[in-house]
């Protein structure tokens, strides 16, 4: 599954004619140097393309509309090299529908004390021009990212690169289609939500099918196909029989191979990139999809259990936003399961019945076949592993009735104190910031779910920037969180977002 597309970002410097042709020539030259240097920095996941300097209202408007209709353009990066009167930008900004980054930089890093004159001042006045531009964007209430810093600084480049992934999330969000082959689990509140509003806000299309429709695709998988994939599983993963009959074990694994092939075929034919299942709504499926769903998630599909379409879409979105990241550590559906409340060893054991993505595994996963202890189907095959150590974010999108809220918690995945030989599911153990106690209290006060979309490969800022562009509330829980300030923030937000 191709996750990373060939997106480009347009670099559109702003200026005006007041300072003459010589100045405009310099603006264009400097912009070319900056774009070239950004592209060569190795810090940006996508290419920056230089556009002509924008001066007048008609050209600005046309350029912004060209960006709107260019499928490869994922956003605009702009910078006012000189002074670009902001009224010229009103119509263009009004019509721009792509993500916007305002890069507040300056061509030269140092003030040339010995030679500086008014020509220099007029040419290099982004300190002045960017304020004029910023004022207009603020006045228009238009969302944008502002990154200040010299364009050659690694930190500036890193922040531009990180924003690019947020912007790609904005563009990709409206292409996400979630397949519901089960409804939300009966009586469960937090996995529910307004699907019409989700399409309005995020662009997600969320459709339901009968489980029997997809089960039919599973039945039609040829035995040779299932056998071939089972062989691949046996090559790729360790097998832990735990006393089970070898042939019976393999037959259970092969059932998951059938499900993987059938589900993927169904999703591809009908153009879905995320899926929900429910252990209580399996119709003719012999097993709860476990290993099959884990494999699909690893390929890049989104997933939510018990009908949780919001988390399924978030997992898909985060897989797209992190696509092609060179040092990626993984992204998964996850669930808060059980605590260690021992001081110094405190944290949350994360797992699910089965469906944790092997992209986060710290070592080669093991296939096990065990009873599910819920529902009434065959013992499903599943991949068992523990997650990598390191920093990540856990995100929960909840529907508060009048609005969506995205809660993002910085978490640290820690080594397990001891192995858990009797736990037949994949797991992670993390400590939320600022601490287990405050983190859990804050999460509960914010109304966060037990299901999360988790990744090591995005920062809270990146996901928050995506949410801001979607126009929804974002609540960060991190090292700076105190319960007092969080409660006030939630109250203030309730006034803003209504
Ligand atoms: Mn669950």
């Amino acid at each position: 599954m191709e996750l990373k597309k060939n997106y480009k970002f347009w670099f559109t410097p702003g200026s005006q004619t007041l300072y003459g042709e010589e100045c405009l020539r310099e603006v264009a030259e400097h912009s070319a140097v900056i774009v070239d240097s950004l592209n060569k920095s190795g810090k940006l996941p996508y290419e920056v393309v230089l556009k002509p300097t924008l001066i007048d209202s008609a050209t600005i408007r046309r350029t912004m509309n060209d960006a709107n209709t260019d499928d490869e353009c994922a956003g605009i990066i702009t910078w006012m090299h000189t002074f670009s009167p902001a009224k010229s930008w009103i119509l263009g900004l009004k019509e721009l529908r792509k993500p916007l980054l305002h890069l507040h930089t300056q061509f030269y890093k140092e003030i040339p004390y010995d030679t500086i004159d008014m020509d220099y001042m007029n040419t290099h006045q982004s300190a002045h021009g960017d304020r004029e531009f910023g004022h207009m964007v603020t006045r228009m209430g238009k969302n944008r990212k502002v990154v200040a810093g010299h364009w050659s600084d690694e930190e500036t480049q890193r922040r531009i690169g990180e924003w690019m992934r947020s912007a790609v999330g904005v563009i990709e969000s409206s292409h996400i289609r979630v397949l519901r082959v089960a409804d939300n689990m009966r009586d469960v509140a937090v996995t529910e939500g307004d699907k019409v509003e989700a399409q309005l806000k995020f662009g997600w299309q969320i459709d339901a099918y009968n489980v029997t429709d997809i089960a039919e695709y599973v039945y039609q998988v040829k035995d040779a196909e299932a056998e071939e994939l089972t062989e691949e599983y046996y090559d790729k993963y360790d097998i832990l029989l735990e006393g089970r009959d070898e042939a019976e074990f393999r037959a259970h694994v092969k059932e998951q191979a059938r499900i993987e092939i059938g589900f993927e075929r169904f999703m591809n034919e009908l153009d879905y990139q995320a899926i929900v299942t429910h252990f209580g709504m399996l119709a003719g499926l012999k097993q709860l999809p476990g290993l099959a769903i884990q494999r699909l998630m690893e390929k890049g599909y989104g997933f939510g259990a018990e009908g949780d379409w919001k988390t399924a879409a978030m997992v898909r979105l985060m897989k797209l936003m992190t696509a092609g990241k060179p040092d990626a550590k993984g992204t998964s559906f996850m669930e808060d399961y059980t605590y260690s409340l021992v001081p110094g060893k405190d944290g949350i054991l994360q797992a699910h019945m089965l469906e944790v993505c092997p992209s986060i595994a710290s070592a080669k996963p093991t296939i096990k076949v065990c009873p599910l202890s819920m529902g009434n189907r065959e013992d499903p095959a599943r991949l068992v592993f523990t997650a990598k150590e390191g920093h990540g974010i856990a995100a929960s999108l909840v529907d508060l009735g009048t609005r969506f809220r995205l809660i993002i918690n910085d978490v640290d995945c820690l080594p397990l104190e001891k192995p858990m030989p009797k736990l037949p599911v994949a797991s992670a153990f993390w400590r939320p910031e600022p601490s287990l106690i405050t983190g859990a209290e804050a999460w509960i006060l914010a109304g966060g779910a037990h299901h999360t979309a988790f990744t090591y490969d995005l920062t809270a800022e990146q996901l928050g920037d995506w949410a801001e562009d979607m126009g929804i509330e974002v609540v960060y829980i991190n090292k700076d969180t105190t319960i007092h300030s969080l409660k006030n923030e939630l109250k203030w937000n309730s006034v803003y977002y209504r």
Side-chain angles (χ1 to χ4, degrees):
M1 164 175 257
E2 193 56 62
L3 284 180
K4 188 164 188 266
K5 298 193 186 127
N6 192 27
Y7 285 119
K8 293 180 169 49
F9 287 80
W10 291 10
F11 191 88
T12 59
S15 190
Q16 63 166 316
T17 52
L18 189 64
Y19 310 113
E21 278 305 309
E22 171 65 15
C23 174
L24 284 174
R25 195 180 51 74
E26 272 192 88
V27 170
E29 277 175 19
H30 294 165
S31 299
V33 171
I34 292 175
V35 167
D36 192 48
S37 153
L38 289 176
N39 283 328
K40 285 179 178 155
S41 70
K43 294 281 187 297
L44 308 189
Y46 298 93
E47 188 188 346
V48 181
V49 179
L50 179 63
K51 293 286 165 180
T53 307
L54 296 180
I55 294 167
D56 62 283
S57 178
T59 314
I60 294 171
R61 186 180 194 175
R62 192 169 57 248
T63 305
M64 296 302 132
N65 277 298
D66 287 349
N68 287 337
T69 54
D70 187 313
D71 284 344
E72 277 198 338
C73 174
I76 294 280
I77 301 173
T78 196
W79 161 54
M80 301 305 116
H81 187 300
T82 62
F83 192 83
S84 180
K87 286 185 188 173
S88 310
W89 286 82
I90 291 175
L91 294 177
L93 286 174
K94 238 174 128 175
E95 291 169 20
L96 177 67
R97 295 189 305 274
K98 294 275 167 96
L100 176 64
L101 173 80
H102 181 187
L103 175 62
H104 181 43
T105 192
Q106 175 175 287
F107 189 68
Y108 293 115
K109 216 168 186 170
E110 295 180 56
I111 295 174
Y113 292 100
D114 296 338
T115 57
I116 191 164
D117 57 11
M118 280 318 289
D119 281 345
Y120 181 93
M121 295 279 271
N122 286 333
T123 307
H124 302 278
Q125 57 169 313
S126 46
H128 173 163
D130 274 335
R131 281 172 167 74
E132 162 77 356
F133 177 78
H135 165 75
M136 183 51 69
V137 190
T138 293
R139 177 164 171 167
M140 291 173 73
K142 195 167 176 65
N143 191 55
R144 87 291 209 187
K145 181 79 175 175
V146 180
V147 171
H150 195 255
W151 49 272
S152 70
D153 289 347
E154 279 194 17
E155 179 63 6
T156 309
Q157 294 168 350
R158 183 190 63 77
R159 293 184 67 209
I160 297 169
E162 293 202 340
W163 169 81
M164 283 179 160
R165 293 192 178 278
S166 306
V168 164
V170 171
I171 302 298
E172 287 283 359
S173 189
S174 63
H175 301 292
I176 293 177
R177 289 161 48 90
V178 184
L179 170 67
R180 300 172 67 231
V181 289
D183 201 349
N184 290 68
M185 190 173 170
R186 280 183 288 277
D187 297 328
V188 176
V190 78
T191 56
E192 278 285 9
D194 182 338
K195 296 189 281 294
V196 179
E197 197 59 22
Q199 190 156 5
L200 277 168
K201 280 280 185 296
F202 312 117
W204 302 343
Q205 189 172 326
I206 303 135
D207 298 328
Y209 285 77
N210 289 321
V211 189
T212 45
D213 294 337
I214 198 165
E216 194 55 42
Y217 275 63
V218 175
Y219 305 150
Q220 281 170 11
V221 172
K222 293 191 179 72
D223 192 67
E225 293 174 316
E227 189 53 43
E228 194 185 331
L229 186 56
T230 306
E231 203 55 48
E232 187 187 321
Y233 293 165
Y234 272 66
D235 282 347
K236 196 168 174 190
Y237 310 113
D238 288 330
I239 303 294
L240 196 57
L241 286 177
E242 292 179 318
R244 292 186 84 111
D245 175 75
E246 207 171 333
E248 182 250 5
F249 184 101
R250 194 180 167 101
H252 281 233
V253 175
K254 194 166 158 185
E255 190 55 34
Q256 293 287 335
R258 269 191 210 98
I259 297 173
E260 181 184 332
I261 297 166
F263 273 30
E264 189 167 26
R265 207 162 272 163
F266 188 87
M267 291 210 283
N268 286 342
E269 278 182 24
L270 282 84
D271 191 26
Y272 291 98
Q273 307 83 28
I275 184 170
V276 305
T277 58
H278 178 354
F279 66 89
M281 299 180 190
L282 293 173
L285 295 174
K286 287 188 191 161
Q287 297 175 18
L288 173 64
L291 172 56
I293 289 291
Q294 293 179 292
R295 295 260 313 174
L296 290 171
M297 251 193 286
E298 191 176 25
K299 286 176 181 171
Y301 294 93
F303 173 75
E306 292 96 46
D308 185 351
W309 52 266
K310 296 196 300 301
T311 309
M314 287 304 297
V315 170
R316 168 67 180 173
L317 177 81
M318 286 155 72
K319 286 193 177 269
L320 290 164
M321 288 173 72
T322 56
K325 193 164 183 256
D327 52 351
K329 291 170 75 177
T331 299
S332 181
F333 169 76
M334 202 49 107
E335 180 170 279
D336 299 297
Y337 236 109
T338 201
Y339 286 128
S340 163
L341 292 165
V342 180
K345 298 173 178 178
D346 51 313
I348 316 172
L349 186 65
Q350 303 285 325
H352 203 260
M353 248 175 251
L354 304 174
E355 312 93 331
V356 179
C357 179
S359 64
I360 66 169
S362 60
K364 190 177 182 183
T366 300
I367 300 182
K368 288 194 187 194
V369 174
C370 309
L372 195 58
S373 74
M374 268 184 253
N376 56 357
R377 300 303 152 108
E378 269 185 5
D379 299 354
R382 78 286 306 273
L383 292 170
V384 180
F385 52 85
T386 51
K388 299 177 184 88
E389 293 173 31
H391 187 84
I393 55 166
S396 170
L397 180 67
V398 294
D399 185 341
L400 295 176
T402 49
R403 67 183 187 279
F404 288 108
R405 169 183 287 163
L406 182 67
I407 301 146
I408 309 172
N409 196 175
D410 281 272
V411 301
D412 288 301
C413 291
L414 303 169
L416 277 172
E417 195 187 342
K418 291 176 188 170
M420 302 179 291
K422 291 191 171 171
L423 189 73
V425 290
S427 64
F429 181 78
W430 74 49
R431 187 174 299 145
E433 289 188 4
S435 65
L436 174 60
I437 298 301
T438 303
E441 287 179 4
W443 187 271
I444 285 169
L445 286 167
H450 54 283
H451 285 171
T452 56
F454 165 78
T455 186
Y456 296 98
D457 305 322
L458 289 173
T459 63
E461 181 178 339
Q462 282 178 292
L463 195 59
D465 284 347
W466 167 82
E468 255 189 73
D469 238 13
M470 297 288 113
I472 65 159
E473 180 188 0
V474 195
V475 174
Y476 299 95
I477 302 173
N478 56 31
K479 59 180 173 37
D480 300 324
T481 297
T482 64
I483 294 301
H484 174 75
S485 63
L486 179 102
K487 281 167 103 172
N488 278 336
E489 182 185 337
L490 297 180
K491 283 179 195 159
W492 297 328
N493 286 356
S494 72
V495 178
Y496 181 84
Y497 292 98
R498 61 173 168 189

